[in-house]
Amino acid sequence: MLSAPAATAQVDGSGWSSYSPGYSTQQQGCGTVSGLTFSLSCTSTSGVQRAERRYDTYCGGNRQFQGTFKVNSMSGDRISLKQTFGPSDADFMLAVDSGRRLYSVRGGGATIAPAGTAPNGRSVTVNTVHSGSTHKIYVNGQLKLTYGGLSGCHYDKFGAYRTDSGKGAISVTWSNIRFWQK
């Protein structure tokens, strides 16, 4: 009998094995989800505006998320695309601004990838690696940010979520979603 080879993560070394956590869909305010397309249709600067997929909580170990997103259209600003939610708050939030720069909402708004990185129609692959309280963020296979966050139980979310200083509208499609652990 042949066995399947162990899944190899796209980044951050070897020894990863794939897994498939469950998820729920979150829609609030003007947020809508259709398959893997997440949209915010309003330009509101208040209230919760979200269209997301929220994955099961994990506690401990090393975890890696990988997904590819493509902005279909965006007239808004400061929209979160991916979150690693910690024990009490979003421990990591990857967002896109009107200049199509990718940045970290937490940790002082550090630039992850420069303006022009995510224009309409361009595919961008994101990997987040979470180990204890350390987060590593990769864009298109290149390490772009490492920082200390919270330890404890976490979960991953992706889609479109208006940050506290943001506004819609946006339509973004995600694909090639994968998870690994070790």
mmCIF file of all heavy atoms in Angstrom, residues 85-128:
data_model
loop_
_atom_site.group_PDB
_atom_site.id
_atom_site.type_symbol
_atom_site.label_atom_id
_atom_site.label_comp_id
_atom_site.label_asym_id
_atom_site.label_seq_id
_atom_site.Cartn_x
_atom_site.Cartn_y
_atom_site.Cartn_z
ATOM 1 N N PHE A 85 -6.601 36.001 15.125
ATOM 2 C CA PHE A 85 -7.264 36.554 16.301
ATOM 3 C C PHE A 85 -6.755 35.849 17.547
ATOM 4 O O PHE A 85 -6.743 34.621 17.606
ATOM 5 C CB PHE A 85 -8.782 36.397 16.172
ATOM 6 C CG PHE A 85 -9.556 37.397 16.950
ATOM 7 C CD1 PHE A 85 -9.928 38.602 16.383
ATOM 8 C CD2 PHE A 85 -9.917 37.141 18.260
ATOM 9 C CE1 PHE A 85 -10.644 39.540 17.105
ATOM 10 C CE2 PHE A 85 -10.638 38.073 18.996
ATOM 11 C CZ PHE A 85 -10.999 39.270 18.418
ATOM 12 N N GLY A 86 -6.319 36.633 18.539
ATOM 13 C CA GLY A 86 -5.736 36.093 19.760
ATOM 14 C C GLY A 86 -6.750 35.901 20.866
ATOM 15 O O GLY A 86 -7.957 35.938 20.631
ATOM 16 N N PRO A 87 -6.253 35.761 22.079
ATOM 17 C CA PRO A 87 -7.132 35.479 23.210
ATOM 18 C C PRO A 87 -8.198 36.548 23.451
ATOM 19 O O PRO A 87 -9.278 36.244 23.908
ATOM 20 C CB PRO A 87 -6.175 35.405 24.398
ATOM 21 C CG PRO A 87 -4.828 35.161 23.821
ATOM 22 C CD PRO A 87 -4.840 35.751 22.451
ATOM 23 N N SER A 88 -7.897 37.804 23.114
ATOM 24 C CA SER A 88 -8.858 38.868 23.407
ATOM 25 C C SER A 88 -9.037 39.875 22.283
ATOM 26 O O SER A 88 -9.892 40.745 22.377
ATOM 27 C CB SER A 88 -8.432 39.613 24.674
ATOM 28 O OG SER A 88 -7.152 40.198 24.482
ATOM 29 N N ASP A 89 -8.231 39.792 21.236
ATOM 30 C CA ASP A 89 -8.288 40.802 20.176
ATOM 31 C C ASP A 89 -7.542 40.270 18.955
ATOM 32 O O ASP A 89 -6.891 39.232 19.031
ATOM 33 C CB ASP A 89 -7.632 42.101 20.654
ATOM 34 C CG ASP A 89 -8.043 43.325 19.848
ATOM 35 O OD1 ASP A 89 -8.793 43.172 18.871
ATOM 36 O OD2 ASP A 89 -7.613 44.432 20.209
ATOM 37 N N ALA A 90 -7.640 40.995 17.856
ATOM 38 C CA ALA A 90 -6.895 40.614 16.656
ATOM 39 C C ALA A 90 -5.408 40.781 16.941
ATOM 40 O O ALA A 90 -4.932 41.890 17.141
ATOM 41 C CB ALA A 90 -7.315 41.452 15.468
ATOM 42 N N ASP A 91 -4.688 39.676 16.986
ATOM 43 C CA ASP A 91 -3.265 39.704 17.278
ATOM 44 C C ASP A 91 -2.485 40.160 16.047
ATOM 45 O O ASP A 91 -1.478 40.834 16.157
ATOM 46 C CB ASP A 91 -2.826 38.303 17.712
ATOM 47 C CG ASP A 91 -1.542 38.275 18.498
ATOM 48 O OD1 ASP A 91 -1.049 39.353 18.882
ATOM 49 O OD2 ASP A 91 -1.028 37.174 18.737
ATOM 50 N N PHE A 92 -2.957 39.758 14.873
ATOM 51 C CA PHE A 92 -2.368 40.214 13.611
ATOM 52 C C PHE A 92 -3.496 40.544 12.650
ATOM 53 O O PHE A 92 -4.459 39.783 12.529
ATOM 54 C CB PHE A 92 -1.465 39.147 12.993
ATOM 55 C CG PHE A 92 -1.066 39.498 11.584
ATOM 56 C CD1 PHE A 92 -0.160 40.521 11.355
ATOM 57 C CD2 PHE A 92 -1.640 38.860 10.498
ATOM 58 C CE1 PHE A 92 0.180 40.890 10.064
ATOM 59 C CE2 PHE A 92 -1.300 39.216 9.203
ATOM 60 C CZ PHE A 92 -0.388 40.236 8.986
ATOM 61 N N MET A 93 -3.382 41.688 11.966
ATOM 62 C CA MET A 93 -4.337 42.069 10.925
ATOM 63 C C MET A 93 -3.564 42.580 9.718
ATOM 64 O O MET A 93 -2.844 43.568 9.817
ATOM 65 C CB MET A 93 -5.280 43.179 11.409
ATOM 66 C CG MET A 93 -6.266 42.749 12.455
ATOM 67 S SD MET A 93 -7.294 44.133 13.038
ATOM 68 C CE MET A 93 -8.382 44.363 11.653
ATOM 69 N N LEU A 94 -3.731 41.898 8.591
ATOM 70 C CA LEU A 94 -3.179 42.346 7.312
ATOM 71 C C LEU A 94 -4.260 43.162 6.625
ATOM 72 O O LEU A 94 -5.385 42.685 6.441
ATOM 73 C CB LEU A 94 -2.813 41.146 6.439
ATOM 74 C CG LEU A 94 -2.422 41.473 4.999
ATOM 75 C CD1 LEU A 94 -1.025 42.067 4.962
ATOM 76 C CD2 LEU A 94 -2.501 40.231 4.134
ATOM 77 N N ALA A 95 -3.928 44.392 6.255
ATOM 78 C CA ALA A 95 -4.911 45.267 5.616
ATOM 79 C C ALA A 95 -4.334 45.871 4.342
ATOM 80 O O ALA A 95 -3.122 45.860 4.119
ATOM 81 C CB ALA A 95 -5.342 46.373 6.579
ATOM 82 N N VAL A 96 -5.238 46.399 3.520
ATOM 83 C CA VAL A 96 -4.864 47.081 2.286
ATOM 84 C C VAL A 96 -5.418 48.504 2.359
ATOM 85 O O VAL A 96 -6.532 48.726 2.833
ATOM 86 C CB VAL A 96 -5.388 46.321 1.040
ATOM 87 C CG1 VAL A 96 -6.908 46.215 1.026
ATOM 88 C CG2 VAL A 96 -4.874 46.940 -0.252
ATOM 89 N N ASP A 97 -4.617 49.484 1.917
ATOM 90 C CA ASP A 97 -5.104 50.863 1.901
ATOM 91 C C ASP A 97 -5.412 51.290 0.470
ATOM 92 O O ASP A 97 -5.230 50.515 -0.476
ATOM 93 C CB ASP A 97 -4.132 51.817 2.605
ATOM 94 C CG ASP A 97 -2.786 51.987 1.911
ATOM 95 O OD1 ASP A 97 -2.652 51.649 0.710
ATOM 96 O OD2 ASP A 97 -1.855 52.474 2.575
ATOM 97 N N SER A 98 -5.876 52.509 0.304
ATOM 98 C CA SER A 98 -6.310 52.981 -1.019
ATOM 99 C C SER A 98 -5.174 53.025 -2.032
ATOM 100 O O SER A 98 -5.412 52.961 -3.233
ATOM 101 C CB SER A 98 -6.971 54.362 -0.908
ATOM 102 O OG SER A 98 -6.053 55.298 -0.371
ATOM 103 N N GLY A 99 -3.917 53.113 -1.567
ATOM 104 C CA GLY A 99 -2.764 53.068 -2.463
ATOM 105 C C GLY A 99 -2.336 51.650 -2.800
ATOM 106 O O GLY A 99 -1.342 51.443 -3.475
ATOM 107 N N ARG A 100 -3.095 50.672 -2.265
ATOM 108 C CA ARG A 100 -2.875 49.231 -2.464
ATOM 109 C C ARG A 100 -1.601 48.735 -1.797
ATOM 110 O O ARG A 100 -1.020 47.735 -2.186
ATOM 111 C CB ARG A 100 -2.926 48.855 -3.943
ATOM 112 C CG ARG A 100 -4.190 49.329 -4.649
ATOM 113 C CD ARG A 100 -5.476 48.865 -3.925
ATOM 114 N NE ARG A 100 -6.663 49.363 -4.592
ATOM 115 C CZ ARG A 100 -7.339 48.689 -5.502
ATOM 116 N NH1 ARG A 100 -6.979 47.492 -5.846
ATOM 117 N NH2 ARG A 100 -8.391 49.234 -6.062
ATOM 118 N N ARG A 101 -1.207 49.443 -0.743
ATOM 119 C CA ARG A 101 -0.130 49.002 0.147
ATOM 120 C C ARG A 101 -0.720 47.986 1.112
ATOM 121 O O ARG A 101 -1.839 48.137 1.601
ATOM 122 C CB ARG A 101 0.400 50.204 0.929
ATOM 123 C CG ARG A 101 1.343 49.875 2.067
ATOM 124 C CD ARG A 101 1.743 51.137 2.827
ATOM 125 N NE ARG A 101 0.649 51.632 3.652
ATOM 126 C CZ ARG A 101 0.673 51.667 4.984
ATOM 127 N NH1 ARG A 101 1.733 51.254 5.658
ATOM 128 N NH2 ARG A 101 -0.357 52.139 5.648
ATOM 129 N N LEU A 102 0.040 46.935 1.444
ATOM 130 C CA LEU A 102 -0.346 45.987 2.483
ATOM 131 C C LEU A 102 0.371 46.396 3.764
ATOM 132 O O LEU A 102 1.565 46.702 3.746
ATOM 133 C CB LEU A 102 0.044 44.564 2.094
ATOM 134 C CG LEU A 102 -0.568 44.035 0.800
ATOM 135 C CD1 LEU A 102 -0.079 42.612 0.534
ATOM 136 C CD2 LEU A 102 -2.090 44.083 0.839
ATOM 137 N N TYR A 103 -0.355 46.412 4.875
ATOM 138 C CA TYR A 103 0.241 46.839 6.136
ATOM 139 C C TYR A 103 -0.340 46.049 7.303
ATOM 140 O O TYR A 103 -1.383 45.397 7.176
ATOM 141 C CB TYR A 103 0.060 48.350 6.341
ATOM 142 C CG TYR A 103 -1.369 48.771 6.586
ATOM 143 C CD1 TYR A 103 -1.831 48.972 7.886
ATOM 144 C CD2 TYR A 103 -2.252 48.981 5.542
ATOM 145 C CE1 TYR A 103 -3.140 49.365 8.124
ATOM 146 C CE2 TYR A 103 -3.557 49.371 5.769
ATOM 147 C CZ TYR A 103 -4.000 49.557 7.057
ATOM 148 O OH TYR A 103 -5.296 49.927 7.294
ATOM 149 N N SER A 104 0.355 46.115 8.437
ATOM 150 C CA SER A 104 -0.087 45.479 9.672
ATOM 151 C C SER A 104 -0.847 46.502 10.502
ATOM 152 O O SER A 104 -0.277 47.520 10.885
ATOM 153 C CB SER A 104 1.115 44.951 10.449
ATOM 154 O OG SER A 104 0.708 44.450 11.704
ATOM 155 N N VAL A 105 -2.107 46.236 10.765
ATOM 156 C CA VAL A 105 -2.905 47.166 11.570
ATOM 157 C C VAL A 105 -2.342 47.230 12.987
ATOM 158 O O VAL A 105 -2.211 48.299 13.558
ATOM 159 C CB VAL A 105 -4.388 46.748 11.584
ATOM 160 C CG1 VAL A 105 -5.204 47.633 12.526
ATOM 161 C CG2 VAL A 105 -4.961 46.792 10.170
ATOM 162 N N ARG A 106 -1.996 46.082 13.545
ATOM 163 C CA ARG A 106 -1.374 46.023 14.867
ATOM 164 C C ARG A 106 0.114 46.307 14.716
ATOM 165 O O ARG A 106 0.691 46.166 13.651
ATOM 166 C CB ARG A 106 -1.579 44.653 15.496
ATOM 167 C CG ARG A 106 -3.020 44.271 15.666
ATOM 168 C CD ARG A 106 -3.667 45.119 16.764
ATOM 169 N NE ARG A 106 -5.040 44.704 16.986
ATOM 170 C CZ ARG A 106 -6.087 45.480 16.744
ATOM 171 N NH1 ARG A 106 -5.917 46.691 16.262
ATOM 172 N NH2 ARG A 106 -7.299 45.054 16.991
ATOM 173 N N GLY A 107 0.751 46.684 15.784
ATOM 174 C CA GLY A 107 2.194 46.894 15.738
ATOM 175 C C GLY A 107 2.593 48.165 15.019
ATOM 176 O O GLY A 107 3.626 48.210 14.363
ATOM 177 N N GLY A 108 1.780 49.201 15.078
ATOM 178 C CA GLY A 108 2.161 50.495 14.551
ATOM 179 C C GLY A 108 1.914 50.738 13.081
ATOM 180 O O GLY A 108 2.387 51.711 12.522
ATOM 181 N N GLY A 109 1.186 49.858 12.419
ATOM 182 C CA GLY A 109 0.859 50.073 11.012
ATOM 183 C C GLY A 109 2.021 49.846 10.063
ATOM 184 O O GLY A 109 2.089 50.449 8.990
ATOM 185 N N ALA A 110 2.932 48.955 10.439
ATOM 186 C CA ALA A 110 4.121 48.697 9.623
ATOM 187 C C ALA A 110 3.752 48.254 8.213
ATOM 188 O O ALA A 110 2.853 47.434 8.022
ATOM 189 C CB ALA A 110 4.988 47.621 10.280
ATOM 190 N N THR A 111 4.455 48.800 7.223
ATOM 191 C CA THR A 111 4.259 48.386 5.833
ATOM 192 C C THR A 111 4.769 46.964 5.665
ATOM 193 O O THR A 111 5.890 46.649 6.057
ATOM 194 C CB THR A 111 4.998 49.330 4.870
ATOM 195 O OG1 THR A 111 4.395 50.637 4.965
ATOM 196 C CG2 THR A 111 4.930 48.838 3.436
ATOM 197 N N ILE A 112 3.943 46.113 5.075
ATOM 198 C CA ILE A 112 4.320 44.738 4.762
ATOM 199 C C ILE A 112 4.742 44.638 3.303
ATOM 200 O O ILE A 112 5.703 43.953 2.978
ATOM 201 C CB ILE A 112 3.164 43.770 5.088
ATOM 202 C CG1 ILE A 112 2.900 43.797 6.606
ATOM 203 C CG2 ILE A 112 3.463 42.367 4.593
ATOM 204 C CD1 ILE A 112 1.666 43.038 7.034
ATOM 205 N N ALA A 113 4.032 45.321 2.430
ATOM 206 C CA ALA A 113 4.382 45.388 1.002
ATOM 207 C C ALA A 113 3.986 46.774 0.503
ATOM 208 O O ALA A 113 2.953 47.312 0.907
ATOM 209 C CB ALA A 113 3.687 44.284 0.220
ATOM 210 N N PRO A 114 4.781 47.389 -0.374
ATOM 211 C CA PRO A 114 4.601 48.799 -0.737
ATOM 212 C C PRO A 114 3.347 49.082 -1.560
ATOM 213 O O PRO A 114 2.698 48.168 -2.074
ATOM 214 C CB PRO A 114 5.857 49.107 -1.553
ATOM 215 C CG PRO A 114 6.257 47.795 -2.145
ATOM 216 C CD PRO A 114 5.898 46.774 -1.110
ATOM 217 N N ALA A 115 3.055 50.370 -1.696
ATOM 218 C CA ALA A 115 1.943 50.812 -2.528
ATOM 219 C C ALA A 115 2.036 50.158 -3.895
ATOM 220 O O ALA A 115 3.127 49.931 -4.418
ATOM 221 C CB ALA A 115 1.967 52.337 -2.674
ATOM 222 N N GLY A 116 0.893 49.817 -4.452
ATOM 223 C CA GLY A 116 0.840 49.182 -5.762
ATOM 224 C C GLY A 116 0.929 47.670 -5.728
ATOM 225 O O GLY A 116 0.831 47.020 -6.766
ATOM 226 N N THR A 117 1.082 47.080 -4.552
ATOM 227 C CA THR A 117 1.219 45.628 -4.445
ATOM 228 C C THR A 117 -0.060 44.891 -4.829
ATOM 229 O O THR A 117 0.002 43.814 -5.412
ATOM 230 C CB THR A 117 1.640 45.230 -3.013
ATOM 231 O OG1 THR A 117 2.932 45.780 -2.754
ATOM 232 C CG2 THR A 117 1.689 43.724 -2.827
ATOM 233 N N ALA A 118 -1.222 45.452 -4.518
ATOM 234 C CA ALA A 118 -2.492 44.737 -4.710
ATOM 235 C C ALA A 118 -3.477 45.493 -5.602
ATOM 236 O O ALA A 118 -4.593 45.793 -5.184
ATOM 237 C CB ALA A 118 -3.116 44.446 -3.345
ATOM 238 N N PRO A 119 -3.104 45.805 -6.863
ATOM 239 C CA PRO A 119 -4.064 46.457 -7.754
ATOM 240 C C PRO A 119 -5.167 45.472 -8.151
ATOM 241 O O PRO A 119 -5.032 44.263 -7.962
ATOM 242 C CB PRO A 119 -3.220 46.846 -8.965
ATOM 243 C CG PRO A 119 -2.170 45.783 -9.011
ATOM 244 C CD PRO A 119 -1.859 45.488 -7.567
ATOM 245 N N ASN A 120 -6.243 45.983 -8.712
ATOM 246 C CA ASN A 120 -7.325 45.111 -9.163
ATOM 247 C C ASN A 120 -6.785 44.025 -10.084
ATOM 248 O O ASN A 120 -6.010 44.294 -10.997
ATOM 249 C CB ASN A 120 -8.394 45.912 -9.922
ATOM 250 C CG ASN A 120 -9.171 46.848 -9.034
ATOM 251 O OD1 ASN A 120 -9.022 46.830 -7.815
ATOM 252 N ND2 ASN A 120 -9.997 47.671 -9.635
ATOM 253 N N GLY A 121 -7.184 42.786 -9.804
ATOM 254 C CA GLY A 121 -6.865 41.673 -10.689
ATOM 255 C C GLY A 121 -5.536 40.981 -10.440
ATOM 256 O O GLY A 121 -5.283 39.935 -11.030
ATOM 257 N N ARG A 122 -4.664 41.497 -9.584
ATOM 258 C CA ARG A 122 -3.370 40.854 -9.332
ATOM 259 C C ARG A 122 -3.499 39.876 -8.163
ATOM 260 O O ARG A 122 -3.954 40.241 -7.092
ATOM 261 C CB ARG A 122 -2.292 41.867 -9.009
ATOM 262 C CG ARG A 122 -0.926 41.167 -8.703
ATOM 263 C CD ARG A 122 0.168 42.126 -8.336
ATOM 264 N NE ARG A 122 0.488 42.971 -9.479
ATOM 265 C CZ ARG A 122 1.163 44.114 -9.387
ATOM 266 N NH1 ARG A 122 1.571 44.553 -8.204
ATOM 267 N NH2 ARG A 122 1.422 44.834 -10.462
ATOM 268 N N SER A 123 -3.040 38.655 -8.353
ATOM 269 C CA SER A 123 -3.043 37.653 -7.292
ATOM 270 C C SER A 123 -1.856 37.874 -6.362
ATOM 271 O O SER A 123 -0.735 38.073 -6.818
ATOM 272 C CB SER A 123 -2.974 36.246 -7.890
ATOM 273 O OG SER A 123 -4.153 35.974 -8.614
ATOM 274 N N VAL A 124 -2.126 37.832 -5.050
ATOM 275 C CA VAL A 124 -1.107 38.009 -4.027
ATOM 276 C C VAL A 124 -1.256 36.849 -3.032
ATOM 277 O O VAL A 124 -2.332 36.638 -2.480
ATOM 278 C CB VAL A 124 -1.270 39.350 -3.279
ATOM 279 C CG1 VAL A 124 -0.229 39.504 -2.182
ATOM 280 C CG2 VAL A 124 -1.217 40.522 -4.254
ATOM 281 N N THR A 125 -0.174 36.105 -2.813
ATOM 282 C CA THR A 125 -0.209 34.985 -1.883
ATOM 283 C C THR A 125 0.351 35.427 -0.534
ATOM 284 O O THR A 125 1.409 36.047 -0.466
ATOM 285 C CB THR A 125 0.588 33.788 -2.422
ATOM 286 O OG1 THR A 125 -0.024 33.375 -3.659
ATOM 287 C CG2 THR A 125 0.583 32.625 -1.446
ATOM 288 N N VAL A 126 -0.382 35.091 0.519
ATOM 289 C CA VAL A 126 -0.028 35.455 1.880
ATOM 290 C C VAL A 126 0.118 34.184 2.711
ATOM 291 O O VAL A 126 -0.736 33.302 2.647
ATOM 292 C CB VAL A 126 -1.115 36.353 2.513
ATOM 293 C CG1 VAL A 126 -0.833 36.604 3.986
ATOM 294 C CG2 VAL A 126 -1.252 37.649 1.756
ATOM 295 N N ASN A 127 1.221 34.096 3.452
ATOM 296 C CA ASN A 127 1.396 33.047 4.453
ATOM 297 C C ASN A 127 1.580 33.724 5.792
ATOM 298 O O ASN A 127 2.355 34.683 5.901
ATOM 299 C CB ASN A 127 2.639 32.198 4.174
ATOM 300 C CG ASN A 127 2.504 31.352 2.943
ATOM 301 O OD1 ASN A 127 2.462 31.866 1.834
ATOM 302 N ND2 ASN A 127 2.445 30.044 3.132
ATOM 303 N N THR A 128 0.877 33.231 6.804
ATOM 304 C CA THR A 128 1.104 33.676 8.173
ATOM 305 C C THR A 128 1.536 32.461 8.974
ATOM 306 O O THR A 128 0.915 31.409 8.898
ATOM 307 C CB THR A 128 -0.144 34.331 8.795
ATOM 308 O OG1 THR A 128 -1.224 33.396 8.811
ATOM 309 C CG2 THR A 128 -0.556 35.574 8.022
#
